[in-house]
Amino acid sequence: MQGELQRIVDALAARAGTPALLEDRGQRVLAYSEHTGPMDAVRRESILRRHATPEVIAWFRNAGIMEAREPLRTPACPELGLLPRVCVPVRHNDQLLGFVWFIDADGTLADTGIVDPGLMRELSLALYRQSLLGELASHREKEATRMLLDDNADVRAQAAQLLLEEGVVTDGDPTVALVALLATAPGRSHDDKARLALEQALAGTRRWLGTREALHLVRHDHGVLLIPGGTAGRPSPEVAAKHLDDGLRHAIRELRGVERAVVGIGQPRSQLVEAVGSYQEALQAAR
C-alpha cells in the first residue's frame, strides 16, 4: 500500500513540476516526493515529525481545507514559517480522505489542471482502502488497550492475549505506564486542540520507538503511554532498561509542546497484563 501511494505522489509531482506531499485527513504525512526548490519550516517539520503541528492544523482548517472540493490556495503565514500553497483535497464519494500539498512560493502554479484526474482517482481509491483497514485495526487496538486498563482481571487478561497474539506489541519485563494529564485552568475545559496535541505527542513517541514497542490511548482528560521495555528480543536487561528510559525521556520531550500537560510515571510491572497497576500509579502521580 505504501509503495502504491509513493508511486502516485511521485507521478503527481512530476505532472505539476513541483514537489508534492500527501497527508491523511488528520494531516499525518503519508508520502512525499523528492524535494527541490523552496521548502519552508512547516514542510520541513512535517516531514521530520510525520505530522503537522496543532497550530498549523488549526490555521489550515480556518483556511477552509476541510470543506474544499477543488484545489484551494492558502496564503503565506510568516508567523508560522509558512509559504503559500495549493491544497488538493482527496475525496472518495465526497468523503474527505486526505490532502495533496504543493508549495507555490511565487504563485505560478495553475489553479486548474495541476493534477491529473486519473491519478487522483487512483489516489482516492488507495486512501479509501487504507482508511478502511486502518480504522479497523485502530479501533481494535484502542478497544483492547481500554480493556487492558479495566478493573476486571479477566477482561485485562483477554486484552493482553489479543494484543500479543495479533503482534500489536511484544510482552516484556518491565512494562511501565506514563500518564499525561491535561490540567485545567479555572473556568476552562479541555478543547479538541489540546487532545489533538496530546494524541500527536504520544503517537510520535510510538513512531520513534518503533513497531510493537508501545501502546497509547487518549481519554477525556489524559493520555496513556504503555511501554513494554523488557528483555524479550533484547540482548540484556541493561539494554532493555536503556530502551525503556530512552522511550520515557522522548515522550516527555514530545509532551513539552502540549499546553498544561502534567506527567506521571508508574512503577514497572513484570507483564503486560499487570500494566493497569503502573497506569493507576502514574495517573495518581499526575493528579
Side-chain angles (χ1 to χ4, degrees):
M1 179 65 74
Q2 186 61 37
E4 183 181 12
L5 294 179
Q6 187 64 58
R7 176 186 64 79
I8 297 171
V9 169
D10 287 340
L12 288 168
R15 165 67 184 257
T18 191
L21 180 139
L22 173 66
E23 295 177 332
D24 65 12
R25 71 186 312 274
Q27 293 195 252
R28 291 176 288 269
V29 176
L30 301 177
Y32 53 90
S33 68
E34 180 181 0
H35 273 64
T36 58
M39 179 188 287
D40 58 18
V42 169
R43 173 64 58 88
R44 189 176 298 106
E45 188 75 3
S46 293
I47 289 175
L48 290 174
R49 297 173 63 91
R50 308 298 297 180
H51 61 76
T53 65
E55 292 77 17
V56 170
I57 290 174
W59 194 89
F60 279 132
R61 290 187 178 183
N62 287 335
I65 65 170
M66 303 299 287
E67 297 77 32
R69 284 165 175 76
E70 300 293 337
L72 173 72
R73 288 188 172 276
T74 60
C77 180
E79 294 82 4
L80 293 175
L82 187 70
L83 289 171
R85 278 164 166 69
V86 175
C87 171
V88 183
V90 185
R91 292 180 176 270
H92 179 77
N93 291 337
D94 206 40
Q95 176 187 352
L96 181 63
L97 300 172
F99 311 95
V100 180
W101 294 92
F102 302 96
I103 291 177
D104 189 20
D106 55 7
T108 57
L109 290 180
D111 288 326
T112 58
I114 189 174
V115 291
D116 178 85
L119 287 172
M120 290 303 294
R121 282 193 295 272
E122 281 188 64
L123 183 59
S124 68
L125 286 172
L127 283 186
Y128 182 64
R129 290 195 298 270
Q130 186 181 70
S131 71
L132 290 179
L133 294 173
E135 285 175 10
L136 178 61
S138 177
H139 176 75
R140 285 172 63 83
E141 179 188 309
K142 287 180 179 178
E143 191 58 33
T145 305
R146 288 190 187 96
M147 291 166 60
L148 191 64
L149 303 178
D150 195 90
D151 292 334
N152 186 294
D154 291 336
V155 172
R156 295 197 301 271
Q158 180 184 352
Q161 181 179 359
L162 176 66
L163 289 164
L164 294 171
E165 286 181 351
E166 295 196 356
V168 177
V169 71
T170 55
D171 206 353
D173 174 13
T175 294
V176 171
L178 175 150
V179 166
L181 180 68
L182 294 173
T184 54
R188 296 181 60 180
S189 59
H190 309 298
D191 55 22
D192 289 339
K193 181 180 176 182
R195 277 189 286 271
L196 175 61
L198 187 57
E199 173 82 38
Q200 290 185 339
L202 297 178
T205 299
R206 288 186 65 179
R207 285 191 294 271
W208 183 83
L209 282 166
T211 58
R212 305 184 68 196
E213 297 286 356
L215 295 165
H216 83 283
L217 181 68
V218 175
R219 292 181 154 171
H220 171 66
D221 65 347
H222 68 277
V224 188
L225 182 70
L226 299 176
I227 307 179
T231 56
R234 305 191 199 286
S236 69
E238 292 75 17
V239 172
K242 185 178 187 308
H243 168 81
L244 180 58
D245 186 59
D246 288 346
L248 292 172
R249 289 177 184 275
H250 186 88
I252 291 170
R253 286 196 298 271
E254 291 272 354
L255 288 163
R256 285 175 183 163
V258 182
E259 185 180 2
R260 303 192 310 279
V262 180
V263 174
I265 299 174
Q267 292 294 317
R269 293 301 190 276
S270 60
Q271 296 180 12
L272 182 65
V273 72
E274 300 170 352
V276 64
S278 186
Y279 161 68
Q280 290 168 346
E281 291 169 353
L283 182 59
Q284 181 62 30
R287 285 176 173 164

